[in-house]
């Protein structure tokens, strides 16, 4: 069956993400979304198990978010944020400052997670430059980490990670080490900081879950260790909560589980409930105050054209309304309990090396995936949209998913792994 005309014509002109365009199978044409379901051009439906790269936390097409977009569209879809401000952006900044722990109170808006992390990196380096310390130009990041696909953020991703290893010679070098998950690694990190803190602006980490590195979990104690070591050696701590923020790990923000306050935090993904692009870099008071000066060169010189877009900020405010009005964290707990029970059946299947769940993240780790395209096609044939990568199959569904819909997802994974598809 031929696809719609727009698919036939348009595929000659697009460049798809993370795809070898010569050999990748054709993408599926989506024409509608509703709740937790994606409708394809042929009328078939898929239950979305990953909430469109972890963004659609309330499900698709939530009426409250739609109403907010419509109202903002009618009065002012966008106005530049240079010399002008808008009510949705300032209201959102105030609400984020109220929600976040400690004195994380200064919000710099961007339009993607990678850019939010780049801004955090610039903030950290310039924080020291503005105080006369010109040698602190490097960051300390961790193996297994992922912070974005732009040039600066690639440089603080795992250097052995396949997506970015090609660019190794073109990227600035930062310190890369293991997370302090045991005494030996903690002592090694302590020693590294003792020797090199004068060159390090900040430590950057994904709290609790290293997402694109393979959904690798670590304990809140690791974050407490990082906060202690950052303070001991006088470096800033950046938490990249692009993925983990807004309930995904079981608390509104992952750092809450460790009881720590980072110096800078980055947010995106579920910020607008998966409706529009928006991100934020939020700094503590002492970081912001380091930029206050009579010297214009001490200002943060960054300004995305669509930063603080009024419609995107209206979306985010509506999404925060839903976190306040509806039992999202209770839903996350229910999802976690169900995935823990139902994915456990995969543990003894061939090639499965681990099954783990945190909040609304469920992971089945394999020793390898032999034919990724065949695995993805087999999952689609089960009526689900799940996108395995590296050596894992994972679920990050909308928090509003029903128990029956989630059971379709967990059953599909078990069926495919126990069936005829060679993984």
């Amino acid at each position: 069956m031929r696809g719609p005309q727009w698919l036939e014509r348009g595929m000659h002109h697009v460049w798809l993400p993370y795809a070898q365009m010569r050999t990748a199978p054709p993408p599926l044409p989506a024409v509608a979304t509703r709740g937790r379901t994606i409708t394809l051009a042929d009328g078939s439906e898929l239950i979305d198990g990953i909430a469109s790269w972890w963004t659609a936390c309330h499900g698709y097409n939530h009426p409250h978010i739609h109403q907010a977009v419509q109202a903002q569209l009618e009065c002012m879809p966008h106005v530049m944020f240079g010399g002008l401000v808008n009510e949705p952006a300032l209201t959102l900044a105030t609400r984020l400052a109220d929600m976040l722990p400690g004195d994380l109170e200064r919000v710099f808006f961007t339009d993607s997670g990678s850019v939010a992390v780049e801004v955090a990196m610039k903030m950290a380096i310039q924080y020291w430059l503005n105080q006369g310390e010109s040698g602190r130009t490097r960051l300390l990041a961790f193996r297994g980490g992922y912070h974005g696909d732009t040039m600066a953020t690639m440089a603080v991703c795992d250097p052995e990670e396949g997506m970015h290893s090609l660019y190794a010679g073109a990227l600035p070098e930062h310190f890369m080490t293991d997370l302090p998950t045991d005494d030996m690694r903690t002592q090694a990190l302590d020693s590294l900081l003792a020797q090199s803190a004068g060159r390090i602006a900040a430590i950057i980490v994904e709290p609790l879950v290293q997402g694109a590195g393979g959904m690798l979990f670590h304990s809140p104690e690791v974050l407490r260790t990082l906060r202690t070591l950052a303070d001991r050696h006088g470096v800033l701590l950046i938490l990249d909560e692009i993925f983990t923020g807004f309930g995904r790990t079981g608390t509104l923000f992952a750092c809450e589980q460790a009881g720590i306050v980072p110096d800078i935090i980055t947010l995106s993904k579920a910020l607008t409930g998966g409706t529009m692009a928006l991100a934020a870099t939020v700094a503590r008071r002492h970081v912001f105050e380091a930029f206050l000066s009579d010297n214009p060169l001490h200002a943060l010189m960054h300004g995305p054209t669509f930063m603080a877009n009024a419609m995107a900020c209206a979306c985010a405010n509506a999404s925060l309304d839903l976190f306040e009005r509806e039992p999202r964290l209770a839903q996350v707990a229910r999802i976690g309990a169900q995935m823990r029970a139902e994915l456990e059946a995969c543990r003894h299947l061939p090639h499965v090396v681990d099954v783990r769940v945190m909040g609304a993240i469920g992971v089945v780790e394999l020793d390898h995936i032999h034919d990724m395209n065949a695995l993805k096609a087999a999952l689609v044939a089960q009526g689900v949209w799940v996108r395995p990568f590296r050596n894992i199959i994972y679920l990050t569904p909308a928090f509003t998913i029903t128990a029956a819909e989630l059971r379709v997802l967990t059953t599909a994974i078990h069926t495919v792994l126990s069936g005829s598809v060679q993984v």
Side-chain angles (χ1 to χ4, degrees):
M1 180 186 296
R2 296 185 62 186
Q5 186 178 50
W6 57 263
L7 178 67
E8 300 285 332
R9 297 181 60 185
M11 282 304 298
H12 294 288
H13 302 287
V14 296
W15 199 329
L16 298 174
Y18 307 129
Q20 171 47 257
M21 296 294 290
R22 172 167 289 182
T23 58
L28 303 177
V31 297
T33 55
R34 180 69 58 182
R36 280 71 54 192
T37 301
I38 301 168
T39 302
L40 304 181
D42 63 2
S44 61
E45 294 184 341
L46 301 175
I47 296 176
D48 188 352
I50 58 172
S52 275
W53 270 332
W54 325 328
T55 63
C57 57
H58 309 293
Y60 293 111
N61 303 50
H62 196 289
H64 182 64
I65 297 178
H66 275 207
Q67 290 163 10
V69 173
Q70 185 63 42
Q72 192 61 46
L73 176 63
E74 291 176 357
C75 70
M76 186 176 66
H78 179 68
V79 66
M80 65 185 290
F81 211 61
L84 298 169
V85 293
N86 64 78
E87 181 275 327
L90 268 60
T91 296
L92 177 58
T94 301
R95 295 177 74 178
L96 289 174
D98 288 343
M99 296 170 69
L100 287 164
D103 61 342
L104 285 161
E105 62 182 27
R106 288 289 177 165
V107 182
F108 191 96
F109 288 113
T110 54
D111 48 12
S112 79
S114 293
V115 177
V117 174
E118 291 229 6
V119 169
M121 295 170 69
K122 288 177 68 172
M123 280 182 181
I125 292 169
Q126 192 174 344
Y127 171 86
W128 298 108
L129 290 174
N130 285 357
Q131 299 177 78
E133 296 198 41
S134 59
R136 292 177 178 257
T137 58
R138 299 172 72 180
L139 275 77
L140 188 152
F142 297 98
R143 295 185 181 93
Y146 170 85
H147 300 284
D149 292 343
T150 54
M151 292 296 284
T153 59
M154 283 194 295
V156 289
C157 294
D158 188 324
E160 302 302 322
E161 207 282 316
M163 284 195 294
H164 299 155
S165 58
L166 180 67
Y167 297 90
L171 300 175
E173 291 187 5
H174 296 281
F175 290 94
M176 188 69 57
T177 189
D178 295 313
L179 279 169
T181 53
D182 55 37
D183 289 343
M184 182 179 298
R185 290 181 173 184
T186 298
Q187 291 171 10
L189 178 56
D190 195 8
S191 297
L192 174 58
L193 287 166
Q195 295 167 7
S196 305
R199 293 187 287 162
I200 296 172
I203 298 168
I204 184 168
V205 67
E206 300 161 272
L208 300 187
V209 186
Q210 293 177 299
M215 296 295 172
L216 307 173
F217 297 172
H218 55 265
S219 73
E221 183 58 34
V222 170
L223 303 181
R224 287 190 283 269
T225 297
L226 292 178
R227 179 73 274 179
T228 297
L229 293 178
D231 292 340
R232 178 183 301 165
H233 297 285
V235 301
L236 300 178
L237 177 61
I238 301 170
L239 294 191
D240 179 354
E241 293 228 27
I242 303 295
F243 169 39
T244 58
F246 302 103
R248 182 56 66 180
T249 65
T251 49
L252 198 58
F253 301 103
C255 60
E256 295 176 36
Q257 296 185 40
I260 65 165
V261 181
D263 299 292
I264 302 171
I265 194 168
T266 59
L267 306 169
S268 189
K269 293 293 186 186
L271 177 57
T272 68
T275 303
M276 295 188 69
L278 185 66
T281 306
V282 190
R284 292 180 68 180
R285 187 177 304 133
H286 67 276
V287 175
F288 175 75
E289 289 177 349
F291 289 76
L292 300 180
S293 171
D294 293 329
N295 185 346
L297 295 180
H298 286 183
L300 179 62
M301 300 304 290
H302 200 97
T305 301
F306 283 94
M307 73 176 292
N309 171 261
M311 282 205 300
C313 290
C315 275
N317 280 314
S319 179
L320 296 188
D321 291 342
L322 296 174
F323 276 102
E324 292 174 357
R325 299 174 187 176
E326 301 185 6
R328 291 291 178 263
L329 295 183
Q331 291 169 325
V332 169
R334 172 188 60 79
I335 291 167
Q338 183 176 347
M339 288 197 296
R340 213 169 271 113
E342 295 177 359
L343 290 177
E344 185 63 24
C346 296
R347 188 176 296 277
H348 303 295
L349 294 177
H351 304 293
V352 173
V353 297
D354 191 30
V355 175
R356 55 186 178 270
V357 174
M358 179 187 295
I361 306 166
V363 182
V364 178
E365 181 178 348
L366 309 173
D367 55 16
H368 72 284
I369 294 178
H370 172 74
D371 190 335
M372 183 68 78
N373 290 335
L375 179 58
K376 290 177 180 178
L379 289 164
V380 168
Q382 294 293 316
V384 301
W385 178 243
V386 178
R387 189 177 168 89
F389 70 97
R390 295 168 67 99
N391 63 325
I392 65 165
I393 305 174
Y394 75 95
L395 296 175
T396 52
F399 303 157
T400 55
I401 195 166
T402 67
E405 289 169 331
L406 184 54
R407 192 169 299 112
V408 171
L409 290 165
T410 58
T411 300
I413 291 173
H414 186 272
T415 298
V416 168
L417 290 181
S418 59
S420 59
V421 175
Q422 184 179 3
V423 297

